[in-house]
Amino acid sequence: MKVNLSFNNVLKWYELLDKNDVALTKKLVIGWNIFLGADTLSFNDMEDYEVSADALKKITEYISQDPYQPESQIGIGNNQPNIEPTKWFSYQQDAEAIYASFLFDYGIDLIDSIDKMRWEKFRALFNNLSSKSPIMRIIDIRQANILDYQGQALADLTRAQEYYSLEDSSVDTLNQQVGDMFTMLKGMAEQK
């Protein structure tokens, strides 16, 4: 079975995970359809939901891998506290800036790349956008330390940080939502 990892499918999945008004079982069906197609599981029994949950968990682990932060270095055995990292961008909230950045740096129109560009290529290009690209300028504003500014520059930075602030500033929120979803499914299966 082939998994469709086009960048737009991955972004749809991330957006779906952020929706609190969609039931767990519906997320499993929609997620399965996004990546594997509607004709491959009928979702007539709990076993189908378990298959979907397992597949989506593996897909989510794969697409959320960070090449600069291998799992073996995250909080365990490295004498570093397990601190939740700060999220500096959102694929949904920063969609326009990301779109503009791909055009600015690479001349790539992401709309023309729908269902054509794989997630791995999108992520590699995104991770290497220039500091002059719109999204990287926004990230610089979010990361700027207000203690380094004074006077009008401080007032301007504060306004810009407020304007570009993210709704949720935690990277692990998405991963936590995925984990919660699979834990709830396991609980449902054990009750039956």
Side-chain angles (χ1 to χ4, degrees):
M1 198 174 306
K2 188 175 179 181
V3 178
N4 183 344
L5 287 179
S6 62
F7 81 94
N8 49 295
N9 280 353
V10 173
L11 297 180
K12 277 185 219 171
W13 174 238
Y14 282 157
E15 184 177 4
L16 177 65
L17 289 175
D18 278 341
K19 292 185 177 186
N20 295 325
D21 60 338
V22 178
L24 163 69
T25 52
K26 188 152 179 92
K27 285 182 180 182
L28 292 171
V29 173
I30 294 169
W32 181 270
N33 292 341
I34 287 171
F35 292 115
L36 297 155
D39 301 335
T40 53
L41 267 185
S42 61
F43 292 95
N44 290 328
D45 57 36
M46 194 58 166
E47 199 170 304
D48 287 348
Y49 288 98
E50 290 173 7
V51 167
S52 176
D54 186 49
L56 291 172
K57 182 177 182 182
K58 289 176 183 166
I59 290 169
T60 301
E61 287 170 353
Y62 175 75
I63 61 177
S64 63
Q65 290 176 352
D66 184 345
Y68 301 105
Q69 185 79 19
E71 268 186 57
S72 62
Q73 293 179 6
I74 300 175
I76 301 171
N78 63 354
N79 296 327
Q80 302 257 343
N82 194 4
I83 298 172
E84 193 172 294
T86 301
K87 180 170 107 171
W88 298 112
F89 68 92
S90 162
Y91 290 117
Q92 283 75 42
Q93 194 172 336
D94 294 322
E96 287 184 12
I98 293 168
Y99 175 83
S101 296
F102 272 70
L103 268 174
F104 180 83
D105 270 3
Y106 307 120
I108 295 173
D109 185 328
L110 288 175
I111 292 172
D112 293 342
S113 299
I114 289 176
D115 294 327
K116 296 175 186 169
M117 184 187 300
R118 283 189 50 96
W119 172 250
E120 299 87 345
K121 181 177 181 178
F122 174 87
R123 185 177 55 205
L125 292 171
F126 180 85
N127 286 339
N128 291 287
L129 287 165
S130 74
S131 61
K132 293 181 180 181
S133 67
I135 187 62
M136 292 312 204
R137 290 185 4 242
I138 291 170
I139 290 171
D140 283 345
I141 290 168
R142 289 176 181 151
Q143 291 178 336
N145 186 345
I146 60 171
L147 299 176
D148 296 337
Y149 294 82
Q150 15 179 322
Q152 187 60 44
L154 175 60
D156 292 345
L157 176 63
T158 304
R159 263 193 305 278
Q161 284 184 333
E162 185 177 310
Y163 181 78
Y164 290 117
S165 67
L166 292 172
E167 293 171 10
D168 178 21
S169 60
S170 167
V171 165
D172 289 335
T173 300
L174 175 66
N175 293 336
Q176 182 63 42
Q177 288 172 351
V178 173
D180 290 348
M181 184 168 71
F182 298 116
T183 301
M184 288 180 0
L185 179 69
K186 185 177 177 186
M188 288 170 47
E190 290 170 355
Q191 291 174 359
K192 297 217 177 222

